Amino acid sequence: MTPLTVSVIAFERLRWNHAGAKEQAIKDTFGLSATRYYQARNAVLDDAEALVLDPQTVNRLRRLRDAGRQRRAS
């Protein structure tokens, strides 16, 4: 399991109260743009070790990702 996997899963457990707060936290925490972070996050979601680490969070994020893909496809 990579440190990035652990960090991303821990980060995704957090809740954000204000618009833009998560994007700023992404920059501060990972030093990445939001686009790059979400690309990395999607790679983590496809990692079987992430599912073992936190199945509830990974499955929630997979459902959200899949719903977004379906919306864009239709």
Side-chain angles (χ1 to χ4, degrees):
M1 185 168 322
T2 68
L4 179 64
T5 299
V6 174
S7 298
V8 167
I9 297 302
F11 187 79
E12 287 296 333
R13 287 186 197 123
L14 302 173
R15 299 289 179 223
W16 310 99
N17 295 327
H18 305 288
K22 184 174 183 180
E23 286 73 18
Q24 186 60 48
I26 288 168
K27 257 187 204 178
D28 296 343
T29 304
F30 297 99
L32 299 171
S33 68
T35 301
R36 292 282 182 213
Y37 169 77
Y38 288 115
Q39 290 171 342
R41 186 190 76 173
N42 284 332
V44 166
L45 295 180
D46 294 332
D47 183 356
E49 291 180 343
L51 189 60
V52 171
L53 177 65
D54 188 342
Q56 184 176 7
T57 299
V58 171
N59 285 326
R60 175 179 59 85
L61 293 170
R62 284 179 177 178
R63 282 192 305 274
L64 290 171
R65 180 182 65 182
D66 294 345
R69 285 179 177 171
Q70 287 179 351
R71 274 194 312 275
R72 287 187 298 278
S74 43

